[in-house]
Amino acid sequence: MEPVLRIESITKKFDRDTVLDGASFSLARKEILCIFGKNASAKSTLVRILSGELAPDGGSIYIDGVKRRISNPRNASRLGIFTIFEDHKLSAQLSLPENIFFGSFCSPGNHTSFGVVRNKNLTDAAASVIQKFSLPFLADAPVSSLSPAEVRLVLLLRAYVHKARVIIIDSCFSSLDDAEAELLCRVLRQLRDCGASILLTTQMERHMENVADSVMIMDKGLLSAKTTIAQFNMTDFSGRAGAFAYPKLHKPQPSIAYSFRNLCYKNRLIDVSFDVYHGEIIGFLGSHDSGKNELIRALTGDCSAEIGLFYRHGCEFRNTSPKSAKKNGISAIMNDSLSFGLIPHMDIPINIALPDLDKFSCGRIVDDKRIRSHASNIVDRLAIEHPRGTRHVRHLSAGNKQKISFGRSISSATDLYVLDDPTASVDSVGKVHIYNIMDALSRGGKSLLLFTSDIDEALGMCDRIFVLRHGKIVCEFEGRVGFDAPAIISSI
């Protein structure tokens, strides 16, 4: 039987650098194929070509054995290809049912009358689809209340109602905890059983065995031969089992840097209090509705706590805006490069220097040479990989965008870093670079709050771990060497 999707010898260059070098694979009907690779291995470039967002320089694409030219995303959709990018968003102006059926209102079994959407029918249809896949939200849920994992599930429902024959998900498991990843895997298996063929890209090997039928490795634009998931051996690819030592070994200083008392916000934070010592890394674990996001926003001034006191070196301060937080030495490193303010059409040095541009200016004159020297140092420290001659951030992989987000924050004069899943899109090598930077900051007396979905990361990097549940700190674990992993897991 002819594969649903087949590519032969796809190539792509950026300037003089070959990013994709003769990539070939086939995707059978009702197959889940996972392409595994580190950051800057060209996974996202391949996805952009298959989605019609980027034109290849050479090679051929076949749909059901017929050679096709995918000229744009609309053309890809007409051919039955539905792509979900890592930073894919829902429309906040539309309801959840409208987001699910976006682009298919006039399809057979339509939900319109003379061009007008019938909201009752649309809501009923959305509720039926949500129930079919047993998802943990209702059709009338506000779009703004959905977690990143739930947004991805809504996009998969959209692919289902579009009757997509090929579903492509870039960086499939990034920013997901184990429970969210397992739910995503279950939905993907259901979609496969409904007849869809699925292509995933990831740099996280631990979830692949739960969903993939077959695996290919991508490294520097080259694709390996396809192997079944049963035959796949991570050691063959990495030369090791994938584990690595976390660098944090020293103890924090015995003096308090910051104190937070009785923080409350809209029933999402309830009487949260804790101290932070100089040089300490504190981990925060919890599910999506645990209050982690609200605590991050309250600490960084993105929302004003309704009740609560903030102290720095024993002196009280107001924390009503990101500007006031920054003034008091608090910086945020977010897990989404877009929300953190990277500008896709600006180059890497400007994006790194943007938050502190006044440091590189004299009056209205910007010292470009100083900016590029500063950015070059950050690029080297974080091992940010980019094709030679690359100017714009939009050409980089998701993981390298994440490193830039991290790099521009660590260059600021900050005493307390609030990190929201800083390694979520970064491969193992990149994680080590970021962990080393975190360790260097804590050795220099800086304090870090690590909000993470990776329990191993918290166990490996933190001096203390707090577990949040329903807006409250329900457990505190001390002593990095003596952490009780099963107890922490059971308390989340």
Side-chain angles (χ1 to χ4, degrees), residues 326 330-334 340 342 351-356 359 374 378 382 402-419 437 441:
K326 186 174 181 180
I330 301 175
S331 286
I333 301 173
M334 307 305 289
F340 193 66
L342 294 188
N351 267 285
I352 290 176
L354 200 58
D356 301 294
K359 294 181 181 179
H374 168 74
I378 294 293
L382 290 182
Q402 181 77 306
K403 291 183 188 180
I404 291 175
S405 296
F406 195 99
R408 66 192 287 188
S409 296
I410 66 171
S411 66
S412 302
T414 298
D415 290 328
L416 177 63
Y417 294 86
V418 180
L419 288 74
I437 293 295
L441 289 170

PDB file of all heavy atoms in Angstrom, residues 326 330-334 340 342 351-356 359 374 378 382 402-419 437 441:
ATOM      1  N   LYS A 326      11.587  44.414  38.703  1.00  0.00           N
ATOM      2  CA  LYS A 326      12.951  44.525  38.180  1.00  0.00           C
ATOM      3  C   LYS A 326      13.769  45.503  39.016  1.00  0.00           C
ATOM      4  O   LYS A 326      14.949  45.278  39.304  1.00  0.00           O
ATOM      5  CB  LYS A 326      12.915  44.950  36.718  1.00  0.00           C
ATOM      6  CG  LYS A 326      14.277  44.951  36.048  1.00  0.00           C
ATOM      7  CD  LYS A 326      14.169  45.246  34.557  1.00  0.00           C
ATOM      8  CE  LYS A 326      15.554  45.217  33.911  1.00  0.00           C
ATOM      9  NZ  LYS A 326      15.481  45.499  32.458  1.00  0.00           N
ATOM     10  N   ILE A 330      14.239  41.478  40.832  1.00  0.00           N
ATOM     11  CA  ILE A 330      13.561  40.233  40.461  1.00  0.00           C
ATOM     12  C   ILE A 330      13.365  40.197  38.950  1.00  0.00           C
ATOM     13  O   ILE A 330      12.807  41.116  38.362  1.00  0.00           O
ATOM     14  CB  ILE A 330      12.180  40.121  41.156  1.00  0.00           C
ATOM     15  CG1 ILE A 330      12.349  40.175  42.673  1.00  0.00           C
ATOM     16  CG2 ILE A 330      11.488  38.825  40.749  1.00  0.00           C
ATOM     17  CD1 ILE A 330      11.032  40.202  43.427  1.00  0.00           C
ATOM     18  N   SER A 331      13.841  39.136  38.307  1.00  0.00           N
ATOM     19  CA  SER A 331      13.677  38.952  36.860  1.00  0.00           C
ATOM     20  C   SER A 331      13.015  37.617  36.577  1.00  0.00           C
ATOM     21  O   SER A 331      13.182  36.651  37.337  1.00  0.00           O
ATOM     22  CB  SER A 331      15.026  39.002  36.131  1.00  0.00           C
ATOM     23  OG  SER A 331      15.510  40.323  36.057  1.00  0.00           O
ATOM     24  N   ALA A 332      12.274  37.559  35.466  1.00  0.00           N
ATOM     25  CA  ALA A 332      11.584  36.324  35.067  1.00  0.00           C
ATOM     26  C   ALA A 332      12.234  35.736  33.832  1.00  0.00           C
ATOM     27  O   ALA A 332      12.646  36.465  32.927  1.00  0.00           O
ATOM     28  CB  ALA A 332      10.111  36.609  34.788  1.00  0.00           C
ATOM     29  N   ILE A 333      12.326  34.419  33.813  1.00  0.00           N
ATOM     30  CA  ILE A 333      12.753  33.681  32.619  1.00  0.00           C
ATOM     31  C   ILE A 333      11.622  32.721  32.294  1.00  0.00           C
ATOM     32  O   ILE A 333      11.425  31.720  32.984  1.00  0.00           O
ATOM     33  CB  ILE A 333      14.072  32.923  32.856  1.00  0.00           C
ATOM     34  CG1 ILE A 333      15.177  33.909  33.256  1.00  0.00           C
ATOM     35  CG2 ILE A 333      14.492  32.161  31.605  1.00  0.00           C
ATOM     36  CD1 ILE A 333      16.461  33.238  33.669  1.00  0.00           C
ATOM     37  N   MET A 334      10.845  33.050  31.264  1.00  0.00           N
ATOM     38  CA  MET A 334       9.622  32.317  30.977  1.00  0.00           C
ATOM     39  C   MET A 334       9.896  31.126  30.057  1.00  0.00           C
ATOM     40  O   MET A 334      10.915  31.059  29.384  1.00  0.00           O
ATOM     41  CB  MET A 334       8.578  33.239  30.353  1.00  0.00           C
ATOM     42  CG  MET A 334       8.316  34.499  31.183  1.00  0.00           C
ATOM     43  SD  MET A 334       7.861  34.160  32.898  1.00  0.00           S
ATOM     44  CE  MET A 334       6.218  33.489  32.661  1.00  0.00           C
ATOM     45  N   PHE A 340       7.929  35.906  26.259  1.00  0.00           N
ATOM     46  CA  PHE A 340       9.015  36.609  26.905  1.00  0.00           C
ATOM     47  C   PHE A 340       9.484  37.795  26.069  1.00  0.00           C
ATOM     48  O   PHE A 340      10.300  38.582  26.512  1.00  0.00           O
ATOM     49  CB  PHE A 340      10.174  35.659  27.182  1.00  0.00           C
ATOM     50  CG  PHE A 340      11.194  36.244  28.116  1.00  0.00           C
ATOM     51  CD1 PHE A 340      10.867  36.520  29.428  1.00  0.00           C
ATOM     52  CD2 PHE A 340      12.467  36.529  27.680  1.00  0.00           C
ATOM     53  CE1 PHE A 340      11.790  37.066  30.288  1.00  0.00           C
ATOM     54  CE2 PHE A 340      13.402  37.069  28.529  1.00  0.00           C
ATOM     55  CZ  PHE A 340      13.071  37.335  29.843  1.00  0.00           C
ATOM     56  N   LEU A 342      10.725  37.861  22.572  1.00  0.00           N
ATOM     57  CA  LEU A 342      11.653  37.797  21.456  1.00  0.00           C
ATOM     58  C   LEU A 342      10.976  38.355  20.209  1.00  0.00           C
ATOM     59  O   LEU A 342       9.789  38.134  19.976  1.00  0.00           O
ATOM     60  CB  LEU A 342      12.103  36.356  21.196  1.00  0.00           C
ATOM     61  CG  LEU A 342      12.947  35.670  22.276  1.00  0.00           C
ATOM     62  CD1 LEU A 342      13.461  34.343  21.767  1.00  0.00           C
ATOM     63  CD2 LEU A 342      14.105  36.544  22.720  1.00  0.00           C
ATOM     64  N   ASN A 351      18.088  40.964  20.140  1.00  0.00           N
ATOM     65  CA  ASN A 351      17.149  40.287  21.027  1.00  0.00           C
ATOM     66  C   ASN A 351      17.761  40.038  22.400  1.00  0.00           C
ATOM     67  O   ASN A 351      17.079  40.150  23.418  1.00  0.00           O
ATOM     68  CB  ASN A 351      16.692  38.969  20.401  1.00  0.00           C
ATOM     69  CG  ASN A 351      15.417  39.113  19.599  1.00  0.00           C
ATOM     70  OD1 ASN A 351      14.340  39.233  20.165  1.00  0.00           O
ATOM     71  ND2 ASN A 351      15.537  39.133  18.290  1.00  0.00           N
ATOM     72  N   ILE A 352      19.039  39.694  22.451  1.00  0.00           N
ATOM     73  CA  ILE A 352      19.698  39.460  23.732  1.00  0.00           C
ATOM     74  C   ILE A 352      19.843  40.760  24.518  1.00  0.00           C
ATOM     75  O   ILE A 352      19.603  40.806  25.732  1.00  0.00           O
ATOM     76  CB  ILE A 352      21.075  38.801  23.517  1.00  0.00           C
ATOM     77  CG1 ILE A 352      20.897  37.354  23.035  1.00  0.00           C
ATOM     78  CG2 ILE A 352      21.905  38.835  24.797  1.00  0.00           C
ATOM     79  CD1 ILE A 352      22.186  36.645  22.697  1.00  0.00           C
ATOM     80  N   ALA A 353      20.172  41.845  23.840  1.00  0.00           N
ATOM     81  CA  ALA A 353      20.462  43.112  24.520  1.00  0.00           C
ATOM     82  C   ALA A 353      19.229  43.959  24.794  1.00  0.00           C
ATOM     83  O   ALA A 353      19.287  44.907  25.576  1.00  0.00           O
ATOM     84  CB  ALA A 353      21.450  43.924  23.670  1.00  0.00           C
ATOM     85  N   LEU A 354      18.091  43.620  24.198  1.00  0.00           N
ATOM     86  CA  LEU A 354      16.917  44.494  24.215  1.00  0.00           C
ATOM     87  C   LEU A 354      16.476  44.936  25.616  1.00  0.00           C
ATOM     88  O   LEU A 354      16.194  46.123  25.822  1.00  0.00           O
ATOM     89  CB  LEU A 354      15.749  43.805  23.490  1.00  0.00           C
ATOM     90  CG  LEU A 354      14.623  44.732  23.011  1.00  0.00           C
ATOM     91  CD1 LEU A 354      15.155  45.803  22.079  1.00  0.00           C
ATOM     92  CD2 LEU A 354      13.550  43.907  22.309  1.00  0.00           C
ATOM     93  N   PRO A 355      16.404  44.056  26.633  1.00  0.00           N
ATOM     94  CA  PRO A 355      15.930  44.520  27.946  1.00  0.00           C
ATOM     95  C   PRO A 355      16.849  45.553  28.590  1.00  0.00           C
ATOM     96  O   PRO A 355      16.417  46.319  29.444  1.00  0.00           O
ATOM     97  CB  PRO A 355      15.896  43.234  28.780  1.00  0.00           C
ATOM     98  CG  PRO A 355      15.859  42.126  27.796  1.00  0.00           C
ATOM     99  CD  PRO A 355      16.653  42.612  26.627  1.00  0.00           C
ATOM    100  N   ASP A 356      18.136  45.568  28.209  1.00  0.00           N
ATOM    101  CA  ASP A 356      19.106  46.488  28.818  1.00  0.00           C
ATOM    102  C   ASP A 356      19.770  47.357  27.758  1.00  0.00           C
ATOM    103  O   ASP A 356      20.965  47.645  27.833  1.00  0.00           O
ATOM    104  CB  ASP A 356      20.173  45.691  29.582  1.00  0.00           C
ATOM    105  CG  ASP A 356      19.572  44.830  30.677  1.00  0.00           C
ATOM    106  OD1 ASP A 356      19.029  45.404  31.631  1.00  0.00           O
ATOM    107  OD2 ASP A 356      19.627  43.596  30.550  1.00  0.00           O
ATOM    108  N   LYS A 359      22.105  50.308  28.515  1.00  0.00           N
ATOM    109  CA  LYS A 359      23.498  50.077  28.898  1.00  0.00           C
ATOM    110  C   LYS A 359      24.453  50.171  27.702  1.00  0.00           C
ATOM    111  O   LYS A 359      25.655  50.345  27.873  1.00  0.00           O
ATOM    112  CB  LYS A 359      23.641  48.692  29.538  1.00  0.00           C
ATOM    113  CG  LYS A 359      22.909  48.537  30.858  1.00  0.00           C
ATOM    114  CD  LYS A 359      23.137  47.139  31.409  1.00  0.00           C
ATOM    115  CE  LYS A 359      22.403  46.932  32.720  1.00  0.00           C
ATOM    116  NZ  LYS A 359      22.600  45.554  33.245  1.00  0.00           N
ATOM    117  N   HIS A 374      28.788  41.699  23.585  1.00  0.00           N
ATOM    118  CA  HIS A 374      28.024  41.163  24.720  1.00  0.00           C
ATOM    119  C   HIS A 374      27.234  39.927  24.298  1.00  0.00           C
ATOM    120  O   HIS A 374      27.238  38.903  24.998  1.00  0.00           O
ATOM    121  CB  HIS A 374      27.081  42.254  25.237  1.00  0.00           C
ATOM    122  CG  HIS A 374      26.056  41.768  26.209  1.00  0.00           C
ATOM    123  ND1 HIS A 374      26.343  41.432  27.513  1.00  0.00           N
ATOM    124  CD2 HIS A 374      24.715  41.541  26.054  1.00  0.00           C
ATOM    125  CE1 HIS A 374      25.248  41.036  28.122  1.00  0.00           C
ATOM    126  NE2 HIS A 374      24.237  41.088  27.261  1.00  0.00           N
ATOM    127  N   ILE A 378      27.247  35.742  25.486  1.00  0.00           N
ATOM    128  CA  ILE A 378      26.078  34.971  25.911  1.00  0.00           C
ATOM    129  C   ILE A 378      25.898  33.747  25.022  1.00  0.00           C
ATOM    130  O   ILE A 378      25.620  32.639  25.496  1.00  0.00           O
ATOM    131  CB  ILE A 378      24.809  35.849  25.879  1.00  0.00           C
ATOM    132  CG1 ILE A 378      24.907  36.968  26.917  1.00  0.00           C
ATOM    133  CG2 ILE A 378      23.562  35.004  26.107  1.00  0.00           C
ATOM    134  CD1 ILE A 378      24.895  36.503  28.344  1.00  0.00           C
ATOM    135  N   LEU A 382      26.038  29.843  26.538  1.00  0.00           N
ATOM    136  CA  LEU A 382      24.876  28.958  26.484  1.00  0.00           C
ATOM    137  C   LEU A 382      24.912  28.007  25.298  1.00  0.00           C
ATOM    138  O   LEU A 382      23.970  27.255  25.085  1.00  0.00           O
ATOM    139  CB  LEU A 382      23.587  29.786  26.444  1.00  0.00           C
ATOM    140  CG  LEU A 382      23.232  30.531  27.727  1.00  0.00           C
ATOM    141  CD1 LEU A 382      21.919  31.272  27.562  1.00  0.00           C
ATOM    142  CD2 LEU A 382      23.134  29.583  28.904  1.00  0.00           C
ATOM    143  N   GLN A 402      14.751  29.442  23.299  1.00  0.00           N
ATOM    144  CA  GLN A 402      14.651  29.378  24.753  1.00  0.00           C
ATOM    145  C   GLN A 402      15.956  29.802  25.398  1.00  0.00           C
ATOM    146  O   GLN A 402      15.968  30.517  26.404  1.00  0.00           O
ATOM    147  CB  GLN A 402      14.283  27.942  25.164  1.00  0.00           C
ATOM    148  CG  GLN A 402      14.115  27.740  26.652  1.00  0.00           C
ATOM    149  CD  GLN A 402      12.793  28.264  27.152  1.00  0.00           C
ATOM    150  OE1 GLN A 402      12.465  29.423  26.915  1.00  0.00           O
ATOM    151  NE2 GLN A 402      12.033  27.441  27.816  1.00  0.00           N
ATOM    152  N   LYS A 403      17.071  29.374  24.836  1.00  0.00           N
ATOM    153  CA  LYS A 403      18.373  29.763  25.386  1.00  0.00           C
ATOM    154  C   LYS A 403      18.572  31.278  25.307  1.00  0.00           C
ATOM    155  O   LYS A 403      19.160  31.885  26.213  1.00  0.00           O
ATOM    156  CB  LYS A 403      19.497  29.043  24.637  1.00  0.00           C
ATOM    157  CG  LYS A 403      19.565  27.550  24.874  1.00  0.00           C
ATOM    158  CD  LYS A 403      20.765  26.975  24.148  1.00  0.00           C
ATOM    159  CE  LYS A 403      20.783  25.466  24.170  1.00  0.00           C
ATOM    160  NZ  LYS A 403      21.954  24.915  23.454  1.00  0.00           N
ATOM    161  N   ILE A 404      18.102  31.886  24.211  1.00  0.00           N
ATOM    162  CA  ILE A 404      18.222  33.337  24.087  1.00  0.00           C
ATOM    163  C   ILE A 404      17.387  34.032  25.153  1.00  0.00           C
ATOM    164  O   ILE A 404      17.812  35.016  25.765  1.00  0.00           O
ATOM    165  CB  ILE A 404      17.811  33.799  22.668  1.00  0.00           C
ATOM    166  CG1 ILE A 404      18.842  33.326  21.647  1.00  0.00           C
ATOM    167  CG2 ILE A 404      17.676  35.322  22.602  1.00  0.00           C
ATOM    168  CD1 ILE A 404      18.477  33.628  20.218  1.00  0.00           C
ATOM    169  N   SER A 405      16.174  33.498  25.399  1.00  0.00           N
ATOM    170  CA  SER A 405      15.336  34.051  26.464  1.00  0.00           C
ATOM    171  C   SER A 405      16.069  33.990  27.802  1.00  0.00           C
ATOM    172  O   SER A 405      16.034  34.928  28.595  1.00  0.00           O
ATOM    173  CB  SER A 405      14.023  33.271  26.563  1.00  0.00           C
ATOM    174  OG  SER A 405      13.266  33.410  25.392  1.00  0.00           O
ATOM    175  N   PHE A 406      16.738  32.863  28.042  1.00  0.00           N
ATOM    176  CA  PHE A 406      17.497  32.710  29.276  1.00  0.00           C
ATOM    177  C   PHE A 406      18.681  33.671  29.287  1.00  0.00           C
ATOM    178  O   PHE A 406      18.933  34.353  30.283  1.00  0.00           O
ATOM    179  CB  PHE A 406      17.984  31.269  29.408  1.00  0.00           C
ATOM    180  CG  PHE A 406      18.453  30.908  30.781  1.00  0.00           C
ATOM    181  CD1 PHE A 406      17.622  30.225  31.646  1.00  0.00           C
ATOM    182  CD2 PHE A 406      19.718  31.248  31.220  1.00  0.00           C
ATOM    183  CE1 PHE A 406      18.040  29.880  32.927  1.00  0.00           C
ATOM    184  CE2 PHE A 406      20.153  30.914  32.487  1.00  0.00           C
ATOM    185  CZ  PHE A 406      19.307  30.227  33.347  1.00  0.00           C
ATOM    186  N   GLY A 407      19.389  33.751  28.169  1.00  0.00           N
ATOM    187  CA  GLY A 407      20.593  34.571  28.095  1.00  0.00           C
ATOM    188  C   GLY A 407      20.335  36.040  28.310  1.00  0.00           C
ATOM    189  O   GLY A 407      21.114  36.731  28.978  1.00  0.00           O
ATOM    190  N   ARG A 408      19.240  36.551  27.765  1.00  0.00           N
ATOM    191  CA  ARG A 408      18.967  37.980  27.918  1.00  0.00           C
ATOM    192  C   ARG A 408      18.580  38.307  29.353  1.00  0.00           C
ATOM    193  O   ARG A 408      18.782  39.432  29.811  1.00  0.00           O
ATOM    194  CB  ARG A 408      17.876  38.418  26.944  1.00  0.00           C
ATOM    195  CG  ARG A 408      16.536  37.839  27.182  1.00  0.00           C
ATOM    196  CD  ARG A 408      15.577  38.078  26.050  1.00  0.00           C
ATOM    197  NE  ARG A 408      15.120  39.444  25.986  1.00  0.00           N
ATOM    198  CZ  ARG A 408      14.153  39.865  25.178  1.00  0.00           C
ATOM    199  NH1 ARG A 408      13.587  39.003  24.342  1.00  0.00           N
ATOM    200  NH2 ARG A 408      13.764  41.105  25.172  1.00  0.00           N
ATOM    201  N   SER A 409      18.048  37.320  30.094  1.00  0.00           N
ATOM    202  CA  SER A 409      17.687  37.563  31.485  1.00  0.00           C
ATOM    203  C   SER A 409      18.905  37.532  32.398  1.00  0.00           C
ATOM    204  O   SER A 409      19.022  38.343  33.312  1.00  0.00           O
ATOM    205  CB  SER A 409      16.665  36.526  31.956  1.00  0.00           C
ATOM    206  OG  SER A 409      15.461  36.651  31.244  1.00  0.00           O
ATOM    207  N   ILE A 410      19.811  36.582  32.165  1.00  0.00           N
ATOM    208  CA  ILE A 410      20.965  36.475  33.070  1.00  0.00           C
ATOM    209  C   ILE A 410      21.928  37.635  32.885  1.00  0.00           C
ATOM    210  O   ILE A 410      22.796  37.858  33.720  1.00  0.00           O
ATOM    211  CB  ILE A 410      21.720  35.145  32.879  1.00  0.00           C
ATOM    212  CG1 ILE A 410      22.369  35.061  31.496  1.00  0.00           C
ATOM    213  CG2 ILE A 410      20.811  33.964  33.127  1.00  0.00           C
ATOM    214  CD1 ILE A 410      23.284  33.868  31.349  1.00  0.00           C
ATOM    215  N   SER A 411      21.773  38.406  31.797  1.00  0.00           N
ATOM    216  CA  SER A 411      22.657  39.550  31.585  1.00  0.00           C
ATOM    217  C   SER A 411      22.215  40.771  32.387  1.00  0.00           C
ATOM    218  O   SER A 411      22.922  41.760  32.464  1.00  0.00           O
ATOM    219  CB  SER A 411      22.711  39.903  30.095  1.00  0.00           C
ATOM    220  OG  SER A 411      21.448  40.373  29.648  1.00  0.00           O
ATOM    221  N   SER A 412      21.011  40.724  32.988  1.00  0.00           N
ATOM    222  CA  SER A 412      20.510  41.852  33.767  1.00  0.00           C
ATOM    223  C   SER A 412      21.055  41.803  35.191  1.00  0.00           C
ATOM    224  O   SER A 412      21.460  40.762  35.687  1.00  0.00           O
ATOM    225  CB  SER A 412      18.976  41.831  33.806  1.00  0.00           C
ATOM    226  OG  SER A 412      18.441  41.879  32.504  1.00  0.00           O
ATOM    227  N   ALA A 413      21.048  42.969  35.867  1.00  0.00           N
ATOM    228  CA  ALA A 413      21.478  43.051  37.265  1.00  0.00           C
ATOM    229  C   ALA A 413      20.335  42.556  38.139  1.00  0.00           C
ATOM    230  O   ALA A 413      19.434  43.305  38.497  1.00  0.00           O
ATOM    231  CB  ALA A 413      21.856  44.487  37.614  1.00  0.00           C
ATOM    232  N   THR A 414      20.372  41.271  38.490  1.00  0.00           N
ATOM    233  CA  THR A 414      19.258  40.629  39.180  1.00  0.00           C
ATOM    234  C   THR A 414      19.772  39.867  40.393  1.00  0.00           C
ATOM    235  O   THR A 414      20.845  39.273  40.358  1.00  0.00           O
ATOM    236  CB  THR A 414      18.535  39.658  38.220  1.00  0.00           C
ATOM    237  OG1 THR A 414      18.006  40.393  37.128  1.00  0.00           O
ATOM    238  CG2 THR A 414      17.406  38.931  38.920  1.00  0.00           C
ATOM    239  N   ASP A 415      18.986  39.890  41.490  1.00  0.00           N
ATOM    240  CA  ASP A 415      19.321  39.119  42.680  1.00  0.00           C
ATOM    241  C   ASP A 415      18.453  37.871  42.820  1.00  0.00           C
ATOM    242  O   ASP A 415      18.867  36.896  43.444  1.00  0.00           O
ATOM    243  CB  ASP A 415      19.149  39.982  43.939  1.00  0.00           C
ATOM    244  CG  ASP A 415      20.211  41.061  44.036  1.00  0.00           C
ATOM    245  OD1 ASP A 415      21.340  40.823  43.578  1.00  0.00           O
ATOM    246  OD2 ASP A 415      19.903  42.150  44.561  1.00  0.00           O
ATOM    247  N   LEU A 416      17.228  37.914  42.259  1.00  0.00           N
ATOM    248  CA  LEU A 416      16.319  36.775  42.356  1.00  0.00           C
ATOM    249  C   LEU A 416      15.777  36.463  40.966  1.00  0.00           C
ATOM    250  O   LEU A 416      15.128  37.299  40.335  1.00  0.00           O
ATOM    251  CB  LEU A 416      15.159  37.081  43.304  1.00  0.00           C
ATOM    252  CG  LEU A 416      14.091  35.986  43.448  1.00  0.00           C
ATOM    253  CD1 LEU A 416      14.707  34.717  44.049  1.00  0.00           C
ATOM    254  CD2 LEU A 416      12.926  36.466  44.298  1.00  0.00           C
ATOM    255  N   TYR A 417      16.031  35.246  40.490  1.00  0.00           N
ATOM    256  CA  TYR A 417      15.567  34.800  39.185  1.00  0.00           C
ATOM    257  C   TYR A 417      14.365  33.872  39.368  1.00  0.00           C
ATOM    258  O   TYR A 417      14.445  32.904  40.120  1.00  0.00           O
ATOM    259  CB  TYR A 417      16.680  34.055  38.444  1.00  0.00           C
ATOM    260  CG  TYR A 417      17.854  34.928  38.074  1.00  0.00           C
ATOM    261  CD1 TYR A 417      18.891  35.150  38.976  1.00  0.00           C
ATOM    262  CD2 TYR A 417      17.922  35.542  36.828  1.00  0.00           C
ATOM    263  CE1 TYR A 417      19.961  35.959  38.643  1.00  0.00           C
ATOM    264  CE2 TYR A 417      18.990  36.349  36.485  1.00  0.00           C
ATOM    265  CZ  TYR A 417      20.010  36.553  37.399  1.00  0.00           C
ATOM    266  OH  TYR A 417      21.069  37.364  37.064  1.00  0.00           O
ATOM    267  N   VAL A 418      13.273  34.192  38.690  1.00  0.00           N
ATOM    268  CA  VAL A 418      12.080  33.352  38.701  1.00  0.00           C
ATOM    269  C   VAL A 418      12.041  32.616  37.372  1.00  0.00           C
ATOM    270  O   VAL A 418      11.829  33.219  36.319  1.00  0.00           O
ATOM    271  CB  VAL A 418      10.806  34.191  38.905  1.00  0.00           C
ATOM    272  CG1 VAL A 418       9.577  33.287  38.920  1.00  0.00           C
ATOM    273  CG2 VAL A 418      10.901  34.989  40.204  1.00  0.00           C
ATOM    274  N   LEU A 419      12.264  31.310  37.406  1.00  0.00           N
ATOM    275  CA  LEU A 419      12.416  30.507  36.191  1.00  0.00           C
ATOM    276  C   LEU A 419      11.187  29.631  35.986  1.00  0.00           C
ATOM    277  O   LEU A 419      10.862  28.806  36.839  1.00  0.00           O
ATOM    278  CB  LEU A 419      13.664  29.624  36.279  1.00  0.00           C
ATOM    279  CG  LEU A 419      15.031  30.297  36.179  1.00  0.00           C
ATOM    280  CD1 LEU A 419      15.357  31.053  37.456  1.00  0.00           C
ATOM    281  CD2 LEU A 419      16.121  29.263  35.944  1.00  0.00           C
ATOM    282  N   ILE A 437      24.951  27.494  34.161  1.00  0.00           N
ATOM    283  CA  ILE A 437      24.722  28.919  34.374  1.00  0.00           C
ATOM    284  C   ILE A 437      23.972  29.142  35.687  1.00  0.00           C
ATOM    285  O   ILE A 437      24.307  30.022  36.485  1.00  0.00           O
ATOM    286  CB  ILE A 437      23.929  29.528  33.204  1.00  0.00           C
ATOM    287  CG1 ILE A 437      24.770  29.506  31.924  1.00  0.00           C
ATOM    288  CG2 ILE A 437      23.499  30.953  33.530  1.00  0.00           C
ATOM    289  CD1 ILE A 437      25.997  30.386  31.975  1.00  0.00           C
ATOM    290  N   LEU A 441      25.345  31.251  38.907  1.00  0.00           N
ATOM    291  CA  LEU A 441      24.596  32.345  39.520  1.00  0.00           C
ATOM    292  C   LEU A 441      24.426  32.115  41.022  1.00  0.00           C
ATOM    293  O   LEU A 441      24.615  33.035  41.827  1.00  0.00           O
ATOM    294  CB  LEU A 441      23.221  32.475  38.855  1.00  0.00           C
ATOM    295  CG  LEU A 441      23.206  33.019  37.424  1.00  0.00           C
ATOM    296  CD1 LEU A 441      21.820  32.860  36.810  1.00  0.00           C
ATOM    297  CD2 LEU A 441      23.626  34.485  37.400  1.00  0.00           C
TER     298      LEU A 441
END
